[in-house]
Amino acid sequence: MLAADPSRKPTAAIKRALDKPTETAVRRLQGKWKDQGARYLADAQARRSAVPAPARRTSAPYSPRAARQMLEAHRRMQDALSPGMLAAQEMMNSPAMMAAQEAARRLSESPAMRAIEELRSSPTMRAIEELQNSPTMRAMRELQASPAMRAIQEAHAQMRLLSGY
């Protein structure tokens, strides 16, 4: 660790290298480092310089192995989905589907649809929608659906039967 990062303190490197550093183990290794640390560091730097550094890729987000694995997974996924995708593509390009798409396009561009869109975006329709969504109208709908109103309606129906209307 010290050969890779000379700014690191020996005690920090010792604690990081040990799985569960105890105080006695750290003190023992500090003593060894004090006695022969320069030799250990020189040996580590020699070993480090003997091994070629791996090439660093600055533009590739994945290693070649990870890229190959992802590409292979993508190919397997395409192979698995291929029959269904081909069937869907054939259906979308069938004469019946093309005719249905053309009919839908003609309908959406027809004068009747333009008139409907104009009505929906007119100030009168906006006012009607605002009225329907107003708190007063919501309260009236809740009252209409309430159990008390249903009881009143049933009583009114029975009164009409009794009076002959």
Side-chain angles (χ1 to χ4, degrees):
M1 275 188 240
L2 293 173
D5 185 7
S7 66
R8 187 181 296 270
K9 303 279 186 198
T11 303
I14 290 169
K15 288 180 179 178
R16 184 151 185 202
L18 297 175
D19 184 31
K20 295 178 182 174
T22 62
E23 215 174 298
T24 56
V26 171
R27 259 192 260 118
R28 183 176 53 84
L29 291 173
Q30 281 174 331
K32 285 185 177 186
W33 182 260
K34 188 176 181 182
D35 294 341
Q36 298 180 9
R39 188 180 67 119
Y40 293 149
L41 188 58
D43 290 347
Q45 287 171 340
R47 284 191 307 271
R48 189 172 171 79
S49 64
V51 177
R56 299 221 182 254
R57 288 172 210 65
T58 56
S59 62
Y62 303 107
S63 69
R65 180 180 179 197
R68 280 192 304 274
Q69 289 173 341
M70 287 191 292
L71 183 62
E72 184 58 33
H74 182 72
R75 282 189 190 135
R76 284 194 307 269
M77 182 181 68
Q78 281 183 327
D79 290 345
L81 295 175
S82 190
M85 295 298 279
L86 288 175
Q89 189 175 18
E90 287 174 9
M91 181 191 74
M92 290 303 291
N93 293 329
S94 69
M97 185 59 79
M98 296 295 224
Q101 289 174 350
E102 180 61 24
R105 185 192 61 76
R106 282 196 313 264
L107 177 65
S108 69
E109 295 173 357
S110 70
M113 285 302 281
R114 273 187 250 138
I116 290 170
E117 281 300 316
E118 287 175 14
L119 177 64
R120 286 180 63 199
S121 61
S122 70
T124 305
M125 280 305 275
R126 274 192 246 124
I128 290 171
E129 286 176 1
E130 286 176 16
L131 178 65
Q132 283 181 332
N133 294 331
S134 70
T136 306
M137 288 299 284
R138 282 193 197 126
M140 289 177 66
R141 284 192 296 270
E142 289 173 7
L143 179 63
Q144 189 72 27
S146 70
M149 186 55 91
R150 278 189 296 236
I152 292 171
Q153 288 171 344
E154 289 174 9
H156 182 67
Q158 288 178 358
M159 299 262 307
R160 277 190 302 178
L161 286 174
L162 291 175
S163 65
Y165 289 111

